[in-house]
mmCIF file of all heavy atoms in Angstrom:
data_model
loop_
_atom_site.group_PDB
_atom_site.id
_atom_site.type_symbol
_atom_site.label_atom_id
_atom_site.label_comp_id
_atom_site.label_asym_id
_atom_site.label_seq_id
_atom_site.Cartn_x
_atom_site.Cartn_y
_atom_site.Cartn_z
ATOM 1 N N MET A 1 40.518 8.928 -7.177
ATOM 2 C CA MET A 1 40.112 8.875 -5.766
ATOM 3 C C MET A 1 39.134 10.030 -5.493
ATOM 4 O O MET A 1 38.150 9.780 -4.864
ATOM 5 C CB MET A 1 41.294 8.947 -4.853
ATOM 6 C CG MET A 1 41.014 8.583 -3.453
ATOM 7 S SD MET A 1 42.099 7.110 -3.229
ATOM 8 C CE MET A 1 41.796 6.807 -1.560
ATOM 9 N N LEU A 2 39.409 11.218 -5.941
ATOM 10 C CA LEU A 2 38.589 12.367 -5.669
ATOM 11 C C LEU A 2 37.215 12.154 -6.373
ATOM 12 O O LEU A 2 36.143 12.467 -5.829
ATOM 13 C CB LEU A 2 39.247 13.618 -6.166
ATOM 14 C CG LEU A 2 38.391 14.888 -6.046
ATOM 15 C CD1 LEU A 2 38.088 15.246 -4.627
ATOM 16 C CD2 LEU A 2 39.121 16.087 -6.685
ATOM 17 N N LYS A 3 37.264 11.573 -7.689
ATOM 18 C CA LYS A 3 36.055 11.412 -8.352
ATOM 19 C C LYS A 3 35.135 10.459 -7.635
ATOM 20 O O LYS A 3 33.909 10.681 -7.635
ATOM 21 C CB LYS A 3 36.423 10.847 -9.759
ATOM 22 C CG LYS A 3 35.215 10.698 -10.617
ATOM 23 C CD LYS A 3 35.566 10.196 -12.018
ATOM 24 C CE LYS A 3 34.333 9.982 -12.876
ATOM 25 N NZ LYS A 3 34.647 9.426 -14.189
ATOM 26 N N LYS A 4 35.707 9.385 -7.037
ATOM 27 C CA LYS A 4 34.911 8.422 -6.336
ATOM 28 C C LYS A 4 34.218 9.091 -5.108
ATOM 29 O O LYS A 4 33.049 8.878 -4.791
ATOM 30 C CB LYS A 4 35.726 7.240 -5.903
ATOM 31 C CG LYS A 4 34.924 6.206 -5.142
ATOM 32 C CD LYS A 4 35.697 4.962 -4.737
ATOM 33 C CE LYS A 4 34.839 3.951 -4.028
ATOM 34 N NZ LYS A 4 35.471 2.827 -3.696
ATOM 35 N N GLY A 5 35.004 9.930 -4.441
ATOM 36 C CA GLY A 5 34.464 10.633 -3.202
ATOM 37 C C GLY A 5 33.293 11.572 -3.639
ATOM 38 O O GLY A 5 32.282 11.614 -2.981
ATOM 39 N N VAL A 6 33.456 12.274 -4.723
ATOM 40 C CA VAL A 6 32.394 13.186 -5.296
ATOM 41 C C VAL A 6 31.191 12.355 -5.569
ATOM 42 O O VAL A 6 30.056 12.781 -5.252
ATOM 43 C CB VAL A 6 32.921 14.016 -6.466
ATOM 44 C CG1 VAL A 6 31.760 14.730 -7.136
ATOM 45 C CG2 VAL A 6 33.974 14.913 -6.055
ATOM 46 N N GLU A 7 31.324 11.259 -6.278
ATOM 47 C CA GLU A 7 30.278 10.405 -6.659
ATOM 48 C C GLU A 7 29.495 9.856 -5.432
ATOM 49 O O GLU A 7 28.214 9.837 -5.386
ATOM 50 C CB GLU A 7 30.668 9.221 -7.505
ATOM 51 C CG GLU A 7 31.077 9.644 -8.959
ATOM 52 C CD GLU A 7 31.653 8.536 -9.703
ATOM 53 O OE1 GLU A 7 31.726 7.354 -9.251
ATOM 54 O OE2 GLU A 7 32.062 8.790 -10.847
ATOM 55 N N GLU A 8 30.293 9.462 -4.421
ATOM 56 C CA GLU A 8 29.683 8.961 -3.149
ATOM 57 C C GLU A 8 28.831 10.082 -2.447
ATOM 58 O O GLU A 8 27.856 9.833 -1.859
ATOM 59 C CB GLU A 8 30.684 8.356 -2.234
ATOM 60 C CG GLU A 8 31.254 7.036 -2.777
ATOM 61 C CD GLU A 8 32.379 6.520 -1.857
ATOM 62 O OE1 GLU A 8 32.780 7.186 -0.920
ATOM 63 O OE2 GLU A 8 32.909 5.413 -2.206
ATOM 64 N N GLY A 9 29.384 11.283 -2.545
ATOM 65 C CA GLY A 9 28.714 12.427 -1.956
ATOM 66 C C GLY A 9 27.378 12.728 -2.634
ATOM 67 O O GLY A 9 26.396 12.966 -1.993
ATOM 68 N N PHE A 10 27.392 12.686 -3.894
ATOM 69 C CA PHE A 10 26.160 12.868 -4.662
ATOM 70 C C PHE A 10 25.094 11.778 -4.412
ATOM 71 O O PHE A 10 23.947 12.026 -4.195
ATOM 72 C CB PHE A 10 26.374 12.900 -6.154
ATOM 73 C CG PHE A 10 26.945 14.187 -6.735
ATOM 74 C CD1 PHE A 10 28.145 14.330 -7.353
ATOM 75 C CD2 PHE A 10 26.199 15.430 -6.453
ATOM 76 C CE1 PHE A 10 28.616 15.542 -7.871
ATOM 77 C CE2 PHE A 10 26.678 16.599 -6.885
ATOM 78 C CZ PHE A 10 27.846 16.700 -7.600
ATOM 79 N N GLU A 11 25.542 10.547 -4.277
ATOM 80 C CA GLU A 11 24.677 9.423 -4.003
ATOM 81 C C GLU A 11 24.071 9.628 -2.572
ATOM 82 O O GLU A 11 22.879 9.395 -2.358
ATOM 83 C CB GLU A 11 25.394 8.085 -4.074
ATOM 84 C CG GLU A 11 24.532 6.897 -3.850
ATOM 85 C CD GLU A 11 23.383 6.774 -4.782
ATOM 86 O OE1 GLU A 11 23.535 7.103 -5.951
ATOM 87 O OE2 GLU A 11 22.247 6.287 -4.311
ATOM 88 N N LYS A 12 24.846 9.987 -1.675
ATOM 89 C CA LYS A 12 24.381 10.242 -0.291
ATOM 90 C C LYS A 12 23.282 11.385 -0.221
ATOM 91 O O LYS A 12 22.289 11.236 0.428
ATOM 92 C CB LYS A 12 25.566 10.580 0.651
ATOM 93 C CG LYS A 12 25.062 10.741 2.126
ATOM 94 C CD LYS A 12 26.244 11.040 3.004
ATOM 95 C CE LYS A 12 25.715 11.233 4.440
ATOM 96 N NZ LYS A 12 26.858 11.642 5.302
ATOM 97 N N GLY A 13 23.585 12.401 -1.038
ATOM 98 C CA GLY A 13 22.673 13.527 -1.148
ATOM 99 C C GLY A 13 21.330 13.093 -1.722
ATOM 100 O O GLY A 13 20.264 13.508 -1.215
ATOM 101 N N ARG A 14 21.439 12.304 -2.786
ATOM 102 C CA ARG A 14 20.139 11.798 -3.405
ATOM 103 C C ARG A 14 19.331 10.968 -2.446
ATOM 104 O O ARG A 14 18.108 11.067 -2.373
ATOM 105 C CB ARG A 14 20.530 11.024 -4.701
ATOM 106 C CG ARG A 14 20.821 11.888 -5.865
ATOM 107 C CD ARG A 14 20.910 11.147 -7.175
ATOM 108 N NE ARG A 14 21.979 10.156 -7.167
ATOM 109 C CZ ARG A 14 23.163 10.422 -7.699
ATOM 110 N NH1 ARG A 14 23.512 11.552 -8.182
ATOM 111 N NH2 ARG A 14 24.130 9.454 -7.611
ATOM 112 N N ARG A 15 20.055 10.104 -1.766
ATOM 113 C CA ARG A 15 19.361 9.193 -0.740
ATOM 114 C C ARG A 15 18.658 10.053 0.343
ATOM 115 O O ARG A 15 17.549 9.790 0.711
ATOM 116 C CB ARG A 15 20.370 8.271 -0.110
ATOM 117 C CG ARG A 15 19.804 7.232 0.671
ATOM 118 C CD ARG A 15 20.474 5.885 0.573
ATOM 119 N NE ARG A 15 19.927 4.955 1.402
ATOM 120 C CZ ARG A 15 18.884 4.128 1.047
ATOM 121 N NH1 ARG A 15 18.357 4.292 -0.206
ATOM 122 N NH2 ARG A 15 18.393 3.195 1.726
ATOM 123 N N GLU A 16 19.415 11.012 0.909
ATOM 124 C CA GLU A 16 18.764 11.940 1.913
ATOM 125 C C GLU A 16 17.607 12.626 1.348
ATOM 126 O O GLU A 16 16.616 12.816 2.059
ATOM 127 C CB GLU A 16 19.878 12.889 2.411
ATOM 128 C CG GLU A 16 20.961 12.214 3.261
ATOM 129 C CD GLU A 16 22.075 13.143 3.647
ATOM 130 O OE1 GLU A 16 21.966 14.364 3.420
ATOM 131 O OE2 GLU A 16 23.001 12.662 4.245
ATOM 132 N N GLU A 17 17.621 13.080 0.065
ATOM 133 C CA GLU A 17 16.563 13.776 -0.451
ATOM 134 C C GLU A 17 15.255 12.778 -0.617
ATOM 135 O O GLU A 17 14.160 13.243 -0.357
ATOM 136 C CB GLU A 17 16.951 14.225 -1.928
ATOM 137 C CG GLU A 17 15.880 15.083 -2.582
ATOM 138 C CD GLU A 17 16.395 15.709 -3.858
ATOM 139 O OE1 GLU A 17 17.555 15.681 -4.095
ATOM 140 O OE2 GLU A 17 15.499 16.204 -4.596
ATOM 141 N N LYS A 18 15.541 11.584 -0.891
ATOM 142 C CA LYS A 18 14.450 10.551 -1.019
ATOM 143 C C LYS A 18 13.789 10.409 0.393
ATOM 144 O O LYS A 18 12.560 10.310 0.510
ATOM 145 C CB LYS A 18 14.945 9.208 -1.463
ATOM 146 C CG LYS A 18 15.233 9.190 -2.960
ATOM 147 C CD LYS A 18 15.603 7.690 -3.374
ATOM 148 C CE LYS A 18 15.779 7.571 -4.762
ATOM 149 N NZ LYS A 18 16.061 6.231 -5.154
ATOM 150 N N PHE A 19 14.588 10.323 1.391
ATOM 151 C CA PHE A 19 14.018 10.178 2.801
ATOM 152 C C PHE A 19 13.251 11.461 3.187
ATOM 153 O O PHE A 19 12.204 11.333 3.793
ATOM 154 C CB PHE A 19 15.193 9.916 3.757
ATOM 155 C CG PHE A 19 15.544 8.478 3.828
ATOM 156 C CD1 PHE A 19 16.721 8.068 3.229
ATOM 157 C CD2 PHE A 19 14.784 7.589 4.524
ATOM 158 C CE1 PHE A 19 17.021 6.727 3.270
ATOM 159 C CE2 PHE A 19 15.103 6.242 4.596
ATOM 160 C CZ PHE A 19 16.285 5.760 3.958
ATOM 161 N N GLU A 20 13.795 12.621 2.810
ATOM 162 C CA GLU A 20 13.029 13.861 3.122
ATOM 163 C C GLU A 20 11.663 13.868 2.415
ATOM 164 O O GLU A 20 10.650 14.187 2.973
ATOM 165 C CB GLU A 20 13.905 15.077 2.687
ATOM 166 C CG GLU A 20 13.143 16.358 3.111
ATOM 167 C CD GLU A 20 14.021 17.560 2.756
ATOM 168 O OE1 GLU A 20 15.287 17.439 2.523
ATOM 169 O OE2 GLU A 20 13.505 18.659 2.781
ATOM 170 N N MET A 21 11.690 13.442 1.128
ATOM 171 C CA MET A 21 10.475 13.415 0.352
ATOM 172 C C MET A 21 9.488 12.407 0.994
ATOM 173 O O MET A 21 8.331 12.745 1.100
ATOM 174 C CB MET A 21 10.765 13.050 -1.091
ATOM 175 C CG MET A 21 9.539 13.009 -1.962
ATOM 176 S SD MET A 21 9.812 12.347 -3.633
ATOM 177 C CE MET A 21 11.164 13.346 -4.258
ATOM 178 N N ALA A 22 9.995 11.278 1.356
ATOM 179 C CA ALA A 22 9.175 10.213 2.003
ATOM 180 C C ALA A 22 8.522 10.788 3.324
ATOM 181 O O ALA A 22 7.303 10.593 3.572
ATOM 182 C CB ALA A 22 9.966 8.982 2.256
ATOM 183 N N ARG A 23 9.264 11.495 4.080
ATOM 184 C CA ARG A 23 8.745 12.074 5.329
ATOM 185 C C ARG A 23 7.659 13.062 4.966
ATOM 186 O O ARG A 23 6.555 13.086 5.686
ATOM 187 C CB ARG A 23 9.854 12.809 6.094
ATOM 188 C CG ARG A 23 10.704 11.858 6.976
ATOM 189 C CD ARG A 23 11.619 12.668 7.943
ATOM 190 N NE ARG A 23 12.679 13.270 7.223
ATOM 191 C CZ ARG A 23 13.869 12.675 6.897
ATOM 192 N NH1 ARG A 23 14.057 11.428 7.202
ATOM 193 N NH2 ARG A 23 14.786 13.395 6.276
ATOM 194 N N ASN A 24 7.811 13.865 4.042
ATOM 195 C CA ASN A 24 6.832 14.861 3.604
ATOM 196 C C ASN A 24 5.564 14.181 3.074
ATOM 197 O O ASN A 24 4.497 14.560 3.370
ATOM 198 C CB ASN A 24 7.339 15.778 2.525
ATOM 199 C CG ASN A 24 8.378 16.774 3.089
ATOM 200 O OD1 ASN A 24 8.444 17.077 4.335
ATOM 201 N ND2 ASN A 24 9.299 17.204 2.282
ATOM 202 N N LEU A 25 5.709 13.120 2.287
ATOM 203 C CA LEU A 25 4.578 12.449 1.741
ATOM 204 C C LEU A 25 3.830 11.699 2.844
ATOM 205 O O LEU A 25 2.546 11.707 2.826
ATOM 206 C CB LEU A 25 5.039 11.385 0.684
ATOM 207 C CG LEU A 25 5.582 11.999 -0.619
ATOM 208 C CD1 LEU A 25 6.185 10.914 -1.455
ATOM 209 C CD2 LEU A 25 4.603 12.765 -1.366
ATOM 210 N N LYS A 26 4.534 11.185 3.779
ATOM 211 C CA LYS A 26 3.873 10.472 4.933
ATOM 212 C C LYS A 26 3.126 11.530 5.663
ATOM 213 O O LYS A 26 1.959 11.256 6.153
ATOM 214 C CB LYS A 26 4.963 9.828 5.789
ATOM 215 C CG LYS A 26 4.385 8.798 6.714
ATOM 216 C CD LYS A 26 5.577 7.971 7.322
ATOM 217 C CE LYS A 26 4.952 6.747 8.009
ATOM 218 N NZ LYS A 26 6.081 5.886 8.534
ATOM 219 N N ALA A 27 3.612 12.716 5.990
ATOM 220 C CA ALA A 27 2.981 13.776 6.716
ATOM 221 C C ALA A 27 1.659 14.219 5.907
ATOM 222 O O ALA A 27 0.750 14.647 6.577
ATOM 223 C CB ALA A 27 3.889 14.914 6.908
ATOM 224 N N MET A 28 1.651 14.012 4.636
ATOM 225 C CA MET A 28 0.527 14.426 3.893
ATOM 226 C C MET A 28 -0.528 13.311 3.812
ATOM 227 O O MET A 28 -1.633 13.435 3.307
ATOM 228 C CB MET A 28 0.884 14.727 2.343
ATOM 229 C CG MET A 28 1.728 15.922 2.281
ATOM 230 S SD MET A 28 2.424 16.160 0.533
ATOM 231 C CE MET A 28 0.969 16.266 -0.393
ATOM 232 N N GLY A 29 -0.267 12.190 4.429
ATOM 233 C CA GLY A 29 -1.202 11.087 4.550
ATOM 234 C C GLY A 29 -1.143 10.030 3.542
ATOM 235 O O GLY A 29 -2.003 9.162 3.446
ATOM 236 N N MET A 30 -0.154 9.967 2.717
ATOM 237 C CA MET A 30 -0.006 8.977 1.687
ATOM 238 C C MET A 30 0.390 7.606 2.373
ATOM 239 O O MET A 30 0.960 7.634 3.456
ATOM 240 C CB MET A 30 1.134 9.280 0.724
ATOM 241 C CG MET A 30 0.768 10.384 -0.267
ATOM 242 S SD MET A 30 1.967 10.420 -1.570
ATOM 243 C CE MET A 30 0.830 11.032 -2.834
ATOM 244 N N THR A 31 -0.035 6.517 1.769
ATOM 245 C CA THR A 31 0.251 5.246 2.300
ATOM 246 C C THR A 31 1.758 4.852 2.019
ATOM 247 O O THR A 31 2.327 5.457 1.169
ATOM 248 C CB THR A 31 -0.655 4.104 1.703
ATOM 249 O OG1 THR A 31 -0.305 4.003 0.290
ATOM 250 C CG2 THR A 31 -2.046 4.466 1.837
ATOM 251 N N SER A 32 2.228 3.847 2.775
ATOM 252 C CA SER A 32 3.558 3.429 2.580
ATOM 253 C C SER A 32 3.812 2.877 1.141
ATOM 254 O O SER A 32 4.895 3.115 0.517
ATOM 255 C CB SER A 32 3.998 2.345 3.594
ATOM 256 O OG SER A 32 3.955 2.885 4.915
ATOM 257 N N GLU A 33 2.793 2.203 0.597
ATOM 258 C CA GLU A 33 2.890 1.642 -0.742
ATOM 259 C C GLU A 33 3.049 2.756 -1.756
ATOM 260 O O GLU A 33 3.784 2.642 -2.679
ATOM 261 C CB GLU A 33 1.625 0.826 -1.077
ATOM 262 C CG GLU A 33 1.642 -0.521 -0.251
ATOM 263 C CD GLU A 33 1.175 -0.365 1.163
ATOM 264 O OE1 GLU A 33 0.586 0.691 1.535
ATOM 265 O OE2 GLU A 33 1.556 -1.243 1.922
ATOM 266 N N GLN A 34 2.213 3.817 -1.619
ATOM 267 C CA GLN A 34 2.302 4.997 -2.513
ATOM 268 C C GLN A 34 3.682 5.596 -2.432
ATOM 269 O O GLN A 34 4.340 6.025 -3.457
ATOM 270 C CB GLN A 34 1.225 6.011 -2.171
ATOM 271 C CG GLN A 34 -0.157 5.582 -2.487
ATOM 272 C CD GLN A 34 -1.198 6.536 -1.894
ATOM 273 O OE1 GLN A 34 -1.128 7.049 -0.846
ATOM 274 N NE2 GLN A 34 -2.241 6.825 -2.701
ATOM 275 N N ILE A 35 4.179 5.782 -1.220
ATOM 276 C CA ILE A 35 5.512 6.402 -0.993
ATOM 277 C C ILE A 35 6.629 5.447 -1.634
ATOM 278 O O ILE A 35 7.562 5.983 -2.232
ATOM 279 C CB ILE A 35 5.790 6.631 0.450
ATOM 280 C CG1 ILE A 35 4.806 7.582 0.986
ATOM 281 C CG2 ILE A 35 7.233 7.139 0.693
ATOM 282 C CD1 ILE A 35 4.808 7.755 2.464
ATOM 283 N N MET A 36 6.429 4.106 -1.559
ATOM 284 C CA MET A 36 7.442 3.248 -2.195
ATOM 285 C C MET A 36 7.468 3.441 -3.669
ATOM 286 O O MET A 36 8.542 3.456 -4.292
ATOM 287 C CB MET A 36 7.005 1.784 -1.833
ATOM 288 C CG MET A 36 7.328 1.340 -0.474
ATOM 289 S SD MET A 36 6.749 -0.356 0.002
ATOM 290 C CE MET A 36 6.893 -1.293 -1.555
ATOM 291 N N ASN A 37 6.254 3.568 -4.289
ATOM 292 C CA ASN A 37 6.221 3.742 -5.744
ATOM 293 C C ASN A 37 6.856 5.119 -6.126
ATOM 294 O O ASN A 37 7.426 5.177 -7.265
ATOM 295 C CB ASN A 37 4.792 3.714 -6.234
ATOM 296 C CG ASN A 37 4.223 2.323 -6.078
ATOM 297 O OD1 ASN A 37 4.976 1.326 -6.303
ATOM 298 N ND2 ASN A 37 2.954 2.230 -5.964
ATOM 299 N N ILE A 38 6.751 6.131 -5.401
ATOM 300 C CA ILE A 38 7.266 7.395 -5.818
ATOM 301 C C ILE A 38 8.803 7.478 -5.475
ATOM 302 O O ILE A 38 9.513 7.991 -6.304
ATOM 303 C CB ILE A 38 6.539 8.543 -4.934
ATOM 304 C CG1 ILE A 38 5.015 8.564 -5.393
ATOM 305 C CG2 ILE A 38 7.202 9.851 -5.129
ATOM 306 C CD1 ILE A 38 4.172 9.430 -4.502
ATOM 307 N N THR A 39 9.257 7.042 -4.304
ATOM 308 C CA THR A 39 10.621 7.224 -3.873
ATOM 309 C C THR A 39 11.526 6.029 -4.186
ATOM 310 O O THR A 39 12.762 6.197 -4.152
ATOM 311 C CB THR A 39 10.689 7.482 -2.400
ATOM 312 O OG1 THR A 39 10.255 6.348 -1.655
ATOM 313 C CG2 THR A 39 9.935 8.706 -1.993
ATOM 314 N N HIS A 40 10.947 4.823 -4.380
ATOM 315 C CA HIS A 40 11.685 3.618 -4.617
ATOM 316 C C HIS A 40 12.503 3.224 -3.384
ATOM 317 O O HIS A 40 13.483 2.507 -3.547
ATOM 318 C CB HIS A 40 12.613 3.707 -5.876
ATOM 319 C CG HIS A 40 11.937 4.049 -7.127
ATOM 320 N ND1 HIS A 40 11.133 3.184 -7.761
ATOM 321 C CD2 HIS A 40 11.831 5.286 -7.818
ATOM 322 C CE1 HIS A 40 10.553 3.798 -8.836
ATOM 323 N NE2 HIS A 40 10.977 5.047 -8.919
ATOM 324 N N LEU A 41 12.009 3.677 -2.217
ATOM 325 C CA LEU A 41 12.546 3.170 -0.964
ATOM 326 C C LEU A 41 11.827 1.927 -0.605
ATOM 327 O O LEU A 41 10.773 1.645 -1.031
ATOM 328 C CB LEU A 41 12.355 4.229 0.174
ATOM 329 C CG LEU A 41 13.077 5.540 -0.008
ATOM 330 C CD1 LEU A 41 12.697 6.562 1.015
ATOM 331 C CD2 LEU A 41 14.645 5.307 0.109
ATOM 332 N N SER A 42 12.496 1.140 0.220
ATOM 333 C CA SER A 42 11.787 -0.128 0.700
ATOM 334 C C SER A 42 10.762 0.185 1.768
ATOM 335 O O SER A 42 10.804 1.288 2.355
ATOM 336 C CB SER A 42 12.826 -1.135 1.248
ATOM 337 O OG SER A 42 13.375 -0.590 2.523
ATOM 338 N N LEU A 43 9.883 -0.762 2.028
ATOM 339 C CA LEU A 43 8.873 -0.569 3.046
ATOM 340 C C LEU A 43 9.557 -0.412 4.438
ATOM 341 O O LEU A 43 9.158 0.489 5.178
ATOM 342 C CB LEU A 43 7.955 -1.849 3.039
ATOM 343 C CG LEU A 43 6.818 -1.731 4.029
ATOM 344 C CD1 LEU A 43 5.893 -0.597 3.788
ATOM 345 C CD2 LEU A 43 5.982 -3.037 4.010
ATOM 346 N N ALA A 44 10.564 -1.149 4.655
ATOM 347 C CA ALA A 44 11.273 -1.067 5.933
ATOM 348 C C ALA A 44 11.898 0.375 6.138
ATOM 349 O O ALA A 44 11.847 0.930 7.202
ATOM 350 C CB ALA A 44 12.418 -2.085 6.073
ATOM 351 N N GLU A 45 12.481 0.910 5.044
ATOM 352 C CA GLU A 45 13.042 2.251 5.160
ATOM 353 C C GLU A 45 11.986 3.296 5.403
ATOM 354 O O GLU A 45 12.149 4.187 6.254
ATOM 355 C CB GLU A 45 13.779 2.560 3.828
ATOM 356 C CG GLU A 45 15.036 1.788 3.656
ATOM 357 C CD GLU A 45 15.581 1.961 2.262
ATOM 358 O OE1 GLU A 45 14.781 1.953 1.270
ATOM 359 O OE2 GLU A 45 16.827 2.004 2.153
ATOM 360 N N ILE A 46 10.785 3.142 4.744
ATOM 361 C CA ILE A 46 9.730 4.075 4.957
ATOM 362 C C ILE A 46 9.145 3.985 6.344
ATOM 363 O O ILE A 46 8.872 4.996 7.020
ATOM 364 C CB ILE A 46 8.627 3.873 3.892
ATOM 365 C CG1 ILE A 46 9.163 4.229 2.523
ATOM 366 C CG2 ILE A 46 7.341 4.658 4.221
ATOM 367 C CD1 ILE A 46 8.355 3.766 1.430
ATOM 368 N N GLU A 47 9.023 2.734 6.884
ATOM 369 C CA GLU A 47 8.440 2.580 8.215
ATOM 370 C C GLU A 47 9.428 2.972 9.318
ATOM 371 O O GLU A 47 8.990 3.395 10.360
ATOM 372 C CB GLU A 47 8.011 1.137 8.386
ATOM 373 C CG GLU A 47 6.762 0.816 7.591
ATOM 374 C CD GLU A 47 6.274 -0.676 7.694
ATOM 375 O OE1 GLU A 47 6.981 -1.457 8.309
ATOM 376 O OE2 GLU A 47 5.195 -0.933 7.234
ATOM 377 N N SER A 48 10.718 3.076 9.002
ATOM 378 C CA SER A 48 11.683 3.506 9.951
ATOM 379 C C SER A 48 11.611 4.992 10.126
ATOM 380 O O SER A 48 12.249 5.531 11.105
ATOM 381 C CB SER A 48 13.076 3.156 9.486
ATOM 382 O OG SER A 48 13.549 3.956 8.460
ATOM 383 N N LEU A 49 10.909 5.715 9.345
ATOM 384 C CA LEU A 49 10.804 7.153 9.459
ATOM 385 C C LEU A 49 9.802 7.616 10.536
ATOM 386 O O LEU A 49 9.838 8.769 10.903
ATOM 387 C CB LEU A 49 10.223 7.764 8.097
ATOM 388 C CG LEU A 49 11.182 7.495 6.886
ATOM 389 C CD1 LEU A 49 10.440 8.106 5.620
ATOM 390 C CD2 LEU A 49 12.431 8.235 7.069
ATOM 391 N N SER A 50 9.079 6.686 11.077
ATOM 392 C CA SER A 50 8.078 7.048 12.149
ATOM 393 C C SER A 50 8.711 7.466 13.393
ATOM 394 O O SER A 50 9.740 7.038 13.789
ATOM 395 C CB SER A 50 7.213 5.814 12.412
ATOM 396 O OG SER A 50 6.499 5.416 11.312
#
C-alpha cells in the first residue's frame, strides 16, 4: 500500500513538472505543437495553461 502511494506521488510530481515546463516554453514563445512534442502533453492540456 505504501509503495503504491509513493509511486502515485512520483507520478504526480512528474506531471506537475511537465506543466511547469510547458508554461515556461509557452512564455518563451514556442507553439503548442512544439510544446506537445517536448512535454508529451495533449493540446487541450497545453491550451488550458492560458
